[in-house]
Amino acid sequence: MRIRDGLWRVGDLPTTKAGVERAFSYFTAGVRLGTVAQMVPAVQLGAARSPHASAYVACWGAAALAAVAVSVVTLVRRRPPGTVVSVLDFALACALLVLGPLVLAPGDRFGTWVAFQPGYALSVVITAGGVRGLALWAGSLLGVAVCYLVYLGGEVGGDMISTAVGNVLTYVVYALVARMFFGYTRRIAHDADTSRARAAELARREEERRARVMMHNGVAVMRLLTEQNHGAPRSRLVDQAEVELRRMRSYLRGRGPDGGAGDEARAHDDGAGPSAGLVALVERACDRFADLGIVALLDLGADLRIPAAQAEALERALDSLLLNVRTHAHAHEVVVHLDGGEGWTLSVHDDGVGFDPASVTAGVGLREVVVGELRRRGLGVAIESAVGEGTTVTVRSRAGTETGPAAERDALADAS
């Protein structure tokens, strides 16, 4: 592992499951190597005082080598020791405690790093908090506690009883704290990974929705261009196809399905920033469908202006509504009325075949392009229709409109 990769610094680690496991490997290596650093100064004195110097040095060397080996393994694997390594680690700690009375001088079992065995066992207990198996962890902790009692042997008596009890409790408390630390941190990482995955899925769904909104009108126009008996002059369909082509190009260039500046345009939904004349917008849409015999009553809204983002969504919604009239309604007359009283109201009524909103599922045009998009822009939408009585779609300006998931649910309910 190269230091220059920046991942030696915990602050640079990703807040993911893999990042947390790597941080645990640093923690494990730090504790184990720190224990070796504590053991080194006392080794010479311990060997000199031991009744079996060679055995003492052998035990000390086994402990130091194991600590270094575990540190290297965890750093290479980028996660705490696995089951096999942990079992061997606990076994060595227990063996060193049992052998301790044989290699230590009388009276050296407390209060000095000459007796390195309890400190080494404690480092194993702390770093073993990352072991996945609860039974392995609990059984190994119990084994260390029993071996520590063997280590104490006949040395316990009088004032040393409280010290011995305190040391046993230290093992238990540190083990529990380490277990809680490893478990809780892993759960945080899991929740973070889950949240990121959820956010990515929501972003994917939103992008799919935006793509459907962008493509719907263009697909409808292309279908009409390939049909012979749609009743619309081909030149007008070509003009509409060019409009949809510009919208598609804007979307593919990352400027949003509305052909505008995407997020920048949406930032002006509150009324600030660029605006567009409402009458001019409606007239452009009506001109593209002049063959439908549209009656446009727009005088009451002559001075109305709306935010650019609302204007783009509204124009696209009008195109979708009029495409529906052309394709499905078989209407003789379409009336577009704009009322500029308090706020403004725009209605589109056709005298076509209509439909039953209770039994007909709204298509992408009504559900997404009209109701969904306009409500996301802070506009109210209502659809009224009955079989044989035509359809009326009413769009209203409104203040403090709810947006987001709740508004989307309401929109889908109203359009179904």
Side-chain angles (χ1 to χ4, degrees):
M1 185 187 304
R2 297 175 301 176
I3 295 179
R4 64 175 178 270
D5 66 5
L7 293 181
W8 282 97
R9 297 188 298 274
V10 175
D12 294 332
L13 290 173
T15 55
T16 61
K17 178 181 177 181
V20 164
E21 294 300 318
R22 179 175 282 194
F24 287 161
S25 73
Y26 298 165
F27 171 79
T28 300
V31 171
R32 303 306 293 275
L33 294 178
T35 300
V36 174
Q38 293 278 15
M39 291 166 53
V40 168
V43 61
Q44 186 175 1
L45 178 61
R49 293 170 59 91
S50 173
H52 304 284
S54 58
Y56 177 89
V57 171
C59 290
W60 188 97
L65 181 61
V68 172
V70 168
S71 300
V72 171
V73 168
T74 58
L75 292 176
V76 171
R77 296 175 73 246
R78 301 181 180 182
R79 59 182 183 273
T83 300
V84 174
V85 174
S86 297
V87 169
L88 295 176
D89 213 11
F90 271 115
L92 177 61
C94 290
L96 292 174
L97 286 172
V98 172
L99 294 174
L102 302 178
V103 300
L104 292 172
D108 280 349
R109 299 187 199 181
F110 292 99
T112 174
W113 273 97
V114 166
F116 63 87
Q117 293 87 344
Y120 178 83
L122 181 60
S123 72
V124 173
V125 167
I126 292 174
T127 55
V131 173
R132 296 284 184 178
L134 178 60
L136 171 62
W137 171 80
S140 300
L141 176 60
L142 178 61
V144 169
V146 171
C147 290
Y148 182 70
L149 295 177
V150 174
Y151 167 84
L152 295 177
E155 290 287 315
V156 179
D159 295 338
M160 300 307 298
I161 293 178
S162 60
T163 301
V165 172
N167 288 346
V168 172
L169 291 177
T170 297
Y171 285 131
V172 175
V173 171
Y174 272 90
L176 292 173
V177 170
R179 187 74 178 178
M180 292 171 57
F181 165 71
F182 279 98
Y184 181 67
T185 307
R186 279 176 172 148
R187 185 159 65 87
I188 291 175
H190 175 269
D191 290 347
D193 284 344
T194 301
S195 297
R196 277 187 287 266
R198 177 62 176 165
E201 175 63 15
L202 292 176
R204 183 189 64 79
R205 293 181 183 179
E206 173 63 12
E207 192 59 30
E208 288 180 352
R209 183 197 64 78
R210 293 177 63 208
R212 287 195 299 269
V213 169
M214 181 278 300
M215 291 188 296
H216 175 268
N217 291 355
V219 170
V221 171
M222 286 188 287
R223 187 181 65 183
L224 291 176
L225 280 170
T226 62
E227 295 177 354
Q228 300 298 322
N229 299 318
H230 47 70
R234 186 174 181 82
S235 60
R236 292 195 178 277
L237 292 178
V238 171
D239 291 341
Q240 292 168 22
E242 290 178 350
V243 171
E244 297 304 326
L245 178 60
R246 288 195 296 271
R247 287 174 177 166
M248 286 186 185
R249 284 175 174 169
S250 295
Y251 174 76
L252 294 175
R253 290 169 182 168
R255 301 182 65 193
D258 48 24
D263 294 337
E264 181 181 351
R266 285 188 287 276
H268 301 301
D269 283 357
D270 59 359
S275 62
L278 185 53
V279 170
L281 177 157
V282 176
E283 287 178 341
R284 283 198 305 272
C286 292
D287 287 345
R288 290 194 288 271
F289 295 85
D291 57 291
L292 296 179
I294 298 175
V295 178
L297 307 175
L298 309 176
D299 294 344
L300 296 178
D303 298 326
L304 292 175
R305 299 187 67 82
I306 61 176
Q310 285 188 351
E312 292 159 354
L314 181 58
E315 186 170 0
R316 187 171 57 252
L318 284 174
D319 284 347
S320 184
L321 288 173
L322 296 175
L323 277 170
N324 279 349
V325 172
R326 172 177 287 160
T327 306
H328 305 295
H330 306 294
H332 296 94
E333 184 179 65
V334 180
V335 177
V336 179
H337 181 264
L338 178 60
D339 186 353
E342 292 186 6
W344 55 266
T345 301
L346 177 68
S347 63
V348 179
H349 171 75
D350 69 76
D351 60 358
V353 297
F355 64 95
D356 181 7
S359 60
V360 176
T361 301
V364 174
L366 281 179
R367 186 179 68 252
E368 295 287 354
V369 182
V370 179
V371 178
E373 280 295 287
L374 293 183
R375 285 201 170 186
R376 288 184 184 90
R377 304 300 189 189
L379 300 174
V381 185
I383 300 175
E384 299 177 5
S385 187
V387 177
E389 297 183 11
T391 302
T392 300
V393 178
T394 305
V395 182
R396 294 184 177 87
S397 64
R398 54 183 184 176
T401 302
E402 181 182 8
T403 59
E408 183 174 355
R409 288 194 298 271
D410 294 342
L412 297 180
D414 290 349
S416 62

